[in-house]
Amino acid sequence: METDTPTLAEPTSRALAFAERRGFKLAVFGRTVAASLMAGAALWGYYYPNNLWIAGLFLMFAAIGLLPLAAVDTRYEIAARFAFFAMGALLISAVITFAPLSSGEEVPQNLVFLTSRVDFYYIVIAASVLTLSPRLQLLC
């Protein structure tokens, strides 16, 4: 005999979905602010013209990062979350790998992995924690 009365799990799952969505929005805005601050640091930390294209990449990264907000409350929301964080990790990897270590002297590019630039990955991981999704955190 089935009844149409809501179970205890239904309000709980709705509350969790709401918290995941709210955390995802917070992660998107937080990453946008962090990428904008990194653009400012690139303008200050590199010589011309390297500083312009590195800052431009960070600003493009920030602008593109706002696109997944269009998928909120649609059936593509979960896929947009995974794409958002995968794109973040890939773009940070590209910047770490290809951005020059210094604008002055010739520094071997393979030394980039011995610098503190890999700390930028912690931004992606911290933002993924806000979504309350274990699968998403494992992806990062």
Side-chain angles (χ1 to χ4, degrees):
M1 187 191 287
E2 293 184 30
T3 61
D4 290 333
T5 59
T7 63
L8 182 60
E10 186 177 313
T12 305
S13 64
R14 273 196 308 240
L16 181 60
F18 175 76
E20 287 177 355
R21 185 171 294 117
R22 190 170 178 197
F24 176 65
K25 289 178 183 178
L26 182 62
V28 168
F29 290 126
R31 192 188 77 159
T32 301
V33 168
S36 300
L37 291 174
M38 286 189 280
L43 285 174
W44 173 72
Y46 290 97
Y47 292 115
Y48 178 84
N50 287 340
N51 64 344
L52 295 180
W53 72 268
I54 293 171
L57 283 174
F58 276 120
L59 289 176
M60 184 178 69
F61 176 61
I64 290 172
L66 292 173
L67 291 176
L69 290 178
V72 172
D73 290 331
T74 67
R75 64 181 183 178
Y76 302 111
E77 182 175 1
I78 302 295
R81 288 181 194 174
F82 281 95
F84 172 77
F85 286 105
M87 179 191 70
L90 289 173
L91 287 175
I92 288 175
S93 298
V95 168
I96 288 173
T97 303
F98 297 114
L101 282 173
S102 171
S103 297
E105 301 175 22
E106 288 294 319
V107 178
Q109 189 62 20
N110 61 345
L111 294 178
V112 74
F113 300 107
L114 299 176
T115 65
S116 62
R117 288 179 164 185
V118 294
D119 294 344
F120 291 132
Y121 287 112
Y122 295 125
I123 295 171
V124 176
I125 293 169
S128 72
V129 171
L130 292 172
T131 64
L132 303 175
S133 172
R135 292 182 296 166
L136 195 54
Q137 292 166 18
L138 288 175
L139 171 75
C140 293

